[in-house]
Amino acid sequence: MNSVIIAVSIMVLLTLVRVNIVIALIVGAIIGGLTGGLSLNETIEAFNGGLGNGATIALSYVMLGTFAVAISKSGITDLLSNMIIKKVNMQESTFHVLYLKYLILTLILLAAISSQNLVPVHIAFIPILIPPLLHSMAKLELDRRAVACAITFGLVATYMFLPVGFGGIFLNEILLKNLVENGVKASSEQLPIAMAIPVLGMFLGLLIAIFFTYRKKRHYDFKKILELETKKKEINPFFIFIAALSVLTALGLQLYTNSIILGSLAGFLIFILAGVVKADQTQDFFTKGIKMMGMIGFIMIAANGFANVINSTGSVQTLVSSVVEIIGDNRSLAVLLMLVVGLFITMGIGSSFSTIPIIATIYVPLCLQLNFSPMAIICIVGTAAALGDAGSPASDSTLGPTSGLNVDGQHDHIWDTVVPTFLHYNIPLIFFGWFAAVYIF
């Protein structure tokens, strides 16, 4: 069996039995390297060689967590939270409760969509927006699994369909570029149309998650939530102004320099200079920032080591090539296998953006040989790359939601984020992507 399949399967199985994801990544990488023909020393060397690629991401998330703690200190997030809590306390009917539940879900979904284009901060909004809302969610007994599905949909479906912000990078700079370089006569106007049907599948998955799978009430321990909340503080208009200035400065610097670290640091310094955060409190804030976002940083570091081992074995290319041999002239089977292989590759690498260059060099010639249209090829390669981003234990599209929803320890990363998003998004993506490529385009 191919070492990519072995490594990813072991990693997923270990996480499903609640083994820590970092340990699961290390064990999966070692077994994947050994079964892929590397010696133990070569496997460890490859793993260590990939760790550095995740260092910038890890530090970015820690600084982001520190900045989020400072924003919370200012009280700006309490404005939104207090407004919702007042409405929750005024609940008089089942309809009112449902209205508030879906209002919260809609606001979170819009925030996730906007984080990819309108305000391209990716998962940076999650530790700022979600923790203050946990109190209201608990009073409404809103199932956090539905919230996780809403956030992940906004993070993934948006870049698959809208060619602006991160979507512009995914669709135009990576997908289109690799397709054209490999001989597909495609244009940027075709991309959203070709990806619309797979995204429709994800949207149906979202509706099923919200209105069917996780529609029932779920109880959460209020004591654990209240332990996170400081005593009720007065809203200081000056602090609110400083918080707004800090967020705008951080956002502007991040967009200008493409650095979360610099943006978060600048925003945090504004809080210090304005007196919202005392200089002697910075150690405490940094510690809380590590507690909030540090785990996601360690996971991303380990994920980069895992991906480097898989790439070093050469088994990714072997896996794709073996699929080509199986397919023959069967177009229907070709699409299905290409999508499934894309799922394994993306779950192993943890990035749909990085998957496209790997699969395009072999998928495109195969698709041309089987006389697929340019629209069908866009759909196949784009969907195969996006598969696994939702539902991968090591993807920031799942780690991000968990970082906000699990601050009180009541939201399991694997069973409350990874499994729900995998089931509700990857299965529809495979079916709708396959149907679109075979029967529509």
Side-chain angles (χ1 to χ4, degrees), residues 36-244:
L38 300 179
S39 67
L40 180 59
N41 288 335
E42 289 172 333
T43 300
I44 298 301
E45 184 178 343
F47 185 84
N48 291 338
L51 297 181
N53 297 329
T56 300
I57 298 174
L59 182 56
S60 296
Y61 287 157
V62 170
M63 285 304 305
L64 180 59
T66 305
F67 185 45
V69 174
I71 291 175
S72 176
K73 166 80 172 178
S74 72
I76 192 170
T77 53
D78 292 318
L79 285 175
L80 175 61
S81 179
N82 290 342
M83 290 172 57
I84 294 177
I85 289 173
K86 286 180 181 178
K87 290 184 177 292
V88 171
N89 292 334
M90 292 170 56
Q91 58 181 274
E92 298 175 355
S93 64
T94 302
F95 174 80
H96 187 70
V97 173
L98 289 175
Y99 165 75
L100 289 174
K101 279 186 176 181
Y102 294 130
L103 175 63
I104 291 176
L105 285 170
T106 301
L107 290 174
I108 291 173
L109 176 60
L110 292 175
I113 292 173
S114 300
S115 73
Q116 301 299 296
N117 40 65
L118 188 63
V119 187
V121 294
H122 195 39
I123 66 170
F125 77 96
I126 296 173
I128 298 171
L129 177 65
I130 300 302
L133 295 178
L134 293 181
H135 185 98
S136 301
M137 291 181 195
K139 293 203 72 171
L140 293 169
E141 296 184 306
L142 173 60
D143 196 325
R144 295 183 192 178
R145 291 173 293 183
V147 179
C149 287
I151 296 174
T152 300
F153 176 87
L155 295 176
V156 178
T158 305
Y159 74 68
M160 289 176 62
F161 180 65
L162 298 177
V164 289
F166 289 106
I169 297 173
F170 179 80
L171 293 173
N172 295 321
E173 296 183 21
I174 301 179
L175 179 57
L176 181 62
K177 177 177 178 290
N178 278 272
L179 292 177
V180 171
E181 288 178 352
N182 286 280
V184 180
K185 294 181 180 179
S187 63
S188 58
E189 293 78 15
Q190 295 175 303
L191 300 174
I193 300 173
M195 297 302 295
I197 295 177
V199 170
L200 174 61
M202 287 191 68
F203 182 66
L204 291 177
L206 173 66
L207 294 181
I208 291 171
I210 292 176
F211 294 108
F212 179 73
T213 314
Y214 307 122
R215 74 184 187 281
K216 294 182 179 179
K217 295 180 179 180
R218 194 179 192 191
H219 176 72
Y220 293 93
D221 188 346
F222 267 101
K223 291 181 180 179
K224 293 183 178 180
I225 299 174
L226 294 174
E227 286 174 2
L228 299 172
E229 299 178 351
T230 57
K231 61 181 180 180
K232 189 173 181 180
K233 50 182 176 287
E234 295 182 5
I235 303 299
N236 187 322
F238 175 70
F239 284 6
I240 300 298
F241 169 75
I242 293 300

